[in-house]
Amino acid sequence: MLAYIARRLLLIVPTLIGIMVINFAIIQVAPGGPVEQLIAQIQGRAVSATERFSGAGGETIGAGAEAQSATAGSETGKYRGARGLDPAFIKEIERLYGFDKPAHERFFKMMRQYAVFDFGDSFFRDRPVVDLVIEKMPVSISLGLWTTLIIYAISIPLGVRKAVRDGSRFDIWTSVVVFVAYAIPGFLFAILLLVLFAGGSFLDWFPLRGLVSEGWETLSWPARIADYFWHLALPLTALVIGSFAGLTMLTKNSFLDQINLQYVVTARAKGLSERRVLYGHVFRNAMLIVIAGFPGAFVGILFTGALFIEIIFSLDGLGRLGYEAIVNRDYPIVFGSLYFFTLLGLVMNLVGDLAYTVVDPRIHFERQAGQ
């Protein structure tokens, strides 16, 4: 087992580097980088842009902005909207953002820093990327963890019940409900919940924004817990409704595959009760793929599944942070969060594989690798 874990850990390094190389190359050819974003602000397409940048870049840029020339040289020709700006000023912007160096030098410098989890500072927020990620983490972890737990708590019993009563009215009607829920986009259902239960045209039972209420720190612990779940009720409902269908059907199909195998027929022939057959024999084998997929499901919901929900319910989490960073071309946040979640996803994949051995001790990766 230790040899298998060591091999998987070693494979994480080239995989992570390959993903970062591909995304870094794509970003280089994408229009509207941070230099162009700042030029657009300086040219009057954003309010107080010069003051905002002088706080982030120092007095040199502020002096350069005042020294704009009427003619644009070859340096300004590289950027859309740079006409009329002093080429020396453009070079100074490139230097502060690190674009005065070739792409490969920027990439190797970035990876050296990321190897020690130094993600640098945000271009436009003037704060370390690590601090921003830690600040937004509670929202995303809350959504990802509780959504995954609720989905598993619903899908596994429902899938088992559907498999046991395959073809019955219960199976047919629950399938209809499952697929109707799956067909409704999560963000659309979230808007419906807001209208119905959060002060829209009907009821005003739940809050519109935030993870906790103002003054949450002053509440007692039972009141804090109640307030926390009061704010999470609608976002979690919107996430769960559109996500449990796949796991429910996977559980059902896994059970149906196992129920018809010979060892189940033999167990029944020995006189074992149906409950003992299902939960003493079938469950362990059928749940291999379901339970082992828990870490990956959690990371998927944590990183990508809650973007629209965070926006609709005004939850300031990692999905919203990443979206705003992409729109603003805030590359330290984009690449820092990509690196962190890619590494987390690769580690969780390993954890998912190891979960197979916990669910079924008969599985040995070394033995399979040697065959």
Side-chain angles (χ1 to χ4, degrees):
M1 180 62 69
L2 292 178
Y4 173 79
I5 295 175
R7 288 196 301 269
R8 287 294 301 272
L9 291 175
L10 290 175
L11 283 175
I12 287 176
V13 177
T15 305
L16 181 60
I17 293 175
I19 292 173
M20 295 299 295
V21 167
I22 294 173
N23 284 274
F24 187 84
I26 293 173
I27 289 294
Q28 302 312 302
V29 299
V35 175
E36 290 176 304
Q37 293 279 335
L38 182 59
I39 289 172
Q41 295 175 1
I42 293 175
Q43 294 286 42
R45 282 171 261 170
V47 178
S48 302
T50 305
E51 296 177 4
R52 174 178 165 188
F53 183 71
S54 63
E59 299 177 356
T60 306
I61 290 298
E66 297 174 357
Q68 297 176 13
S69 66
T71 59
S74 59
E75 292 297 326
T76 61
K78 294 192 298 183
Y79 302 106
R80 183 182 303 174
R83 187 179 301 276
L85 295 180
D86 187 355
F89 175 58
I90 301 297
K91 286 185 177 180
E92 186 64 17
I93 297 176
E94 291 179 334
R95 184 186 67 79
L96 289 174
Y97 282 151
F99 283 83
D100 58 327
K101 297 180 177 62
H104 67 279
E105 291 186 16
R106 286 187 277 121
F107 177 78
F108 288 128
K109 179 182 178 181
M110 180 183 73
M111 293 304 295
R112 284 195 299 270
Q113 293 176 332
Y114 285 8
V116 294
F117 294 95
D118 177 12
F119 300 124
D121 296 334
S122 166
F123 283 161
F124 300 110
R125 292 175 181 255
D126 302 332
R127 293 182 57 191
V129 174
V130 172
D131 291 349
L132 289 170
V133 171
I134 293 175
E135 179 184 308
K136 314 299 182 185
M137 190 74 78
V139 171
S140 295
I141 288 181
S142 296
L143 291 175
L145 180 61
W146 290 116
T147 300
T148 307
L149 290 175
I150 293 172
I151 288 173
Y152 270 71
I154 294 174
S155 298
I156 291 179
L158 180 59
V160 172
R161 186 68 172 171
K162 286 174 63 63
V164 173
R165 302 184 62 179
D166 183 41
S168 66
R169 288 187 177 181
F170 174 82
D171 181 39
I172 295 173
W173 284 110
T174 53
S175 295
V176 172
V177 173
V178 165
F179 286 112
V180 168
Y182 181 74
I184 300 175
F187 71 90
L188 185 61
F189 192 74
I191 295 173
L192 177 63
L193 291 176
L194 282 179
V195 173
L196 293 178
F197 302 111
S201 303
F202 298 91
L203 304 173
D204 189 9
W205 289 353
F206 297 95
L208 283 170
R209 63 185 68 244
L211 190 61
V212 292
S213 301
E214 292 184 9
W216 180 80
E217 297 83 0
T218 63
L219 300 175
S220 63
W221 275 109
R224 289 187 186 185
I225 295 173
D227 181 79
Y228 170 72
F229 284 107
W230 181 48
H231 282 76
L232 280 177
L234 296 186
L236 290 180
T237 302
L239 283 170
V240 169
I241 286 297
S243 304
F244 76 97
L247 185 60
T248 299
M249 300 311 296
L250 176 63
T251 303
K252 175 189 175 182
N253 293 332
S254 297
F255 259 77
L256 288 177
D257 288 341
Q258 295 294 322
I259 286 174
N260 297 321
L261 294 182
Q262 184 62 43
Y263 76 92
V264 178
V265 177
T266 303
R268 285 172 175 162
K270 290 181 178 180
L272 297 179
S273 66
E274 190 67 16
R275 184 179 182 85
R276 178 70 181 277
V277 171
L278 287 177
Y279 295 101
H281 294 76
V282 176
F283 186 84
R284 183 178 64 180
N285 295 323
M287 286 296 99
L288 273 175
I289 189 171
V290 176
I291 296 177
F294 181 89
F298 170 65
V299 173
I301 295 175
L302 175 67
F303 187 42
T304 61
L307 171 59
F308 289 130
I309 301 302
E310 289 181 9
I311 294 174
I312 292 171
F313 290 99
S314 298
L315 297 171
D316 197 9
L318 293 172
R320 188 173 178 180
L321 175 68
Y323 171 75
E324 292 176 352
I326 293 173
V327 171
N328 295 323
R329 302 299 194 269
D330 199 337
Y331 290 164
I333 295 179
V334 173
F335 287 118
S337 57
L338 174 67
Y339 179 90
F340 174 75
F341 281 105
T342 301
L343 179 60
L344 180 62
L346 292 172
V347 172
M348 284 300 180
N349 282 337
L350 174 58
V351 172
D353 288 346
L354 297 179
Y356 282 107
T357 62
V358 176
V359 178
D360 190 348
R362 296 172 300 175
I363 296 177
H364 298 283
F365 291 108
E366 287 91 346
R367 184 186 306 167
Q368 293 176 358
Q371 290 178 353

